[in-house]
Amino acid sequence: MTDTAAPSRHPFAAPLAGRDAQRILRHAAAADAARFLHPVQQALLHRRGWLKMLAPRSCGGAELALPDAVRLEEAVAAVDGSMGWVLTLCAGAGWFAGFLPPQTARAIIGTRRVCVGGSGAPTGHAELEGEGYRITGRWDYASGAPMATHFTLNAVLREHGRPLLDEHGAPRIRAFIIPAALVRMEPSWGSIGMRASASHSYRVDGQWLHRDHGFAIRPEAATSPGPLYRFPFYSLAFVTLAANVAGMAAHFMQLARPAMSRRKHSMSGLPLLEAPGVAELLSSKEQAYGAARAHFYQLLDDAWAQVAAGAQLDAEGAGSLQAASLALVAVSRQAVDELYPYCGLYAAHEGSEINRVWRDFHTASQHSLLLP
């Protein structure tokens, strides 16, 4: 199966309408300067329902087929990296609704202008107390934190001050979702890129949470029956993150060509794109990127078809999807890094569009899952 697989009938099947792309791009520079998404960008996320696109239909989400969601995330990232990242991370956190008790999921996803942020590191603890847990800790890198209505977190379970252990003697870790009213955001995001993602830290100081707000992220623990919740978590994470990096790389290459066309070779005086090897370099990077992207989507479409048909994505399939994701990221890194020196001082100017894309790309590609 390839990119020509049977199209979804869902209205999100077309990755991104041109008018929406224009709205996102029009405000990207202002969002970068303000260090958070522009109100028009935020409104678009809510109006289109994108932040609920991976939540179950039964609780008010769209339950979008994963390949359609990934293509949308890539398309948004190809216009504005920060907005693509917030969409991906917050919609991804909304996916956890498929693992919550249905009544809890409906209450959360039904929240006005719902946006779920969060962090995966287990940097806090949850003390067993009655019908729930008392949560304490600090978590980093919650993209979209200023607009979050809820936060997810991982915490070490404790009882009487001592960690609860699993069958292997390791501390038990459980995921929770907590209303933003019980959370204190701590501004901490100072990266050179992805500025508008506002991926700040947050703290919870001894807040009690009912056990229905805890969940496990395993296919067998899903409370919603759709194939989206039987797709392995790490496979979902790899493909969504890789698509964002790929979108930013595509944006950079799109801007690199006109940037290079304005320059002349210092020795020959020829327009840079007419100098020996330069046009070939750009073409080779575009071709390598296109091949890696096509392979990535072929494997993603095949994996989704397998899970949607009721089968389990086995270790070999998950490994192939991970390898294709990392290969796409590697090709994207090579394209951006090798073309950047040809783009001139314009590309080094903080206020230029290509510089913003370059900064966003190199910040997003630092995610630990994307290490070679």
Side-chain angles (χ1 to χ4, degrees), residues 63-84:
E63 202 169 327
L64 187 61
L66 183 59
D68 289 343
V70 171
R71 286 174 169 87
L72 174 62
E73 291 167 354
E74 180 195 28
V76 174
V79 179
D80 179 19
S82 285
M83 184 165 172

Side-chain angles (χ1 to χ4, degrees), residues 21-318:
Q22 291 171 6
R23 287 193 184 105
I24 295 168
L25 182 60
R26 187 180 303 126
H27 301 286
D32 182 72
R35 292 187 174 269
F36 191 49
L37 298 182
H38 189 277
V40 170
Q41 295 176 317
Q42 296 181 48
L44 187 62
L45 288 171
H46 292 299
R47 188 162 62 248
R48 295 289 179 261
W50 290 342
L51 297 178
K52 300 187 289 185
M53 68 181 182
L54 296 181
R57 293 189 190 93
S58 59
C59 67
E63 202 169 327
L64 187 61
L66 183 59
D68 289 343
V70 171
R71 286 174 169 87
L72 174 62
E73 291 167 354
E74 180 195 28
V76 174
V79 179
D80 179 19
S82 285
M83 184 165 172
W85 199 258
V86 170
L87 164 61
T88 298
L89 274 293
C90 294
W95 176 73
F96 297 143
F99 301 85
L100 288 166
Q103 185 174 353
T104 305
R106 283 193 295 271
I108 291 170
I109 300 302
T111 301
R112 182 179 178 274
R113 294 174 68 86
V114 65
C115 176
V116 185
S119 171
T123 51
H125 60 264
E127 182 78 19
L128 185 63
E129 184 177 312
E131 295 295 307
Y133 298 87
R134 194 162 294 279
I135 311 290
T136 300
R138 184 181 186 274
W139 292 264
D140 294 324
Y141 309 130
S143 298
M147 63 188 290
T149 59
H150 298 78
F151 288 85
T152 61
L153 57 90
N154 284 324
V156 175
L157 298 183
R158 300 198 318 191
E159 187 173 15
H160 306 305
R162 295 183 178 180
L164 297 175
L165 306 180
D166 62 19
E167 63 273 18
H168 304 294
R172 290 175 54 194
I173 296 171
R174 188 160 179 79
F176 294 89
I177 185 165
I178 184 169
L182 303 180
V183 172
R184 179 158 55 91
M185 189 183 75
E186 296 185 343
S188 60
W189 185 242
S191 173
I192 64 165
M194 304 290 288
R195 290 174 176 173
S197 72
S199 301
H200 297 303
S201 303
Y202 58 103
R203 178 180 294 279
V204 180
D205 296 312
Q207 298 288 349
W208 188 84
L209 203 60
H210 192 274
R211 63 187 179 192
D212 283 353
H213 284 71
F215 58 98
I217 313 167
R218 301 188 306 272
E220 63 272 19
T223 56
S224 187
L228 191 56
Y229 312 103
R230 288 187 281 105
F231 205 87
F233 169 69
Y234 276 107
S235 296
L236 183 145
F238 273 111
V239 299
T240 55
L241 295 177
N244 269 261
V245 171
M248 292 179 228
H251 193 181
F252 182 89
M253 286 186 283
Q254 177 188 24
L255 297 171
R257 186 175 289 275
M260 293 164 70
S261 69
R262 289 193 291 265
R263 304 190 73 194
K264 289 187 176 181
H265 194 276
S266 60
M267 300 301 291
S268 67
L270 290 171
L272 193 57
L273 283 176
E274 295 179 18
V278 177
E280 290 83 352
L281 175 65
L282 177 57
S283 178
S284 69
K285 295 307 172 188
E286 291 172 339
Q287 290 174 15
Y289 170 88
R293 181 180 179 275
H295 180 62
F296 167 83
Y297 277 112
Q298 177 180 344
L299 291 186
L300 173 57
D301 289 339
D302 287 347
W304 176 254
Q306 181 179 339
V307 175
Q312 181 180 357
L313 186 63
D314 58 22
E316 181 180 357

Side-chain angles (χ1 to χ4, degrees), residues 308-331:
Q312 181 180 357
L313 186 63
D314 58 22
E316 181 180 357
S320 296
L321 198 53
Q322 175 182 337
S325 299
L326 294 179
L328 179 56
V329 171
V331 167

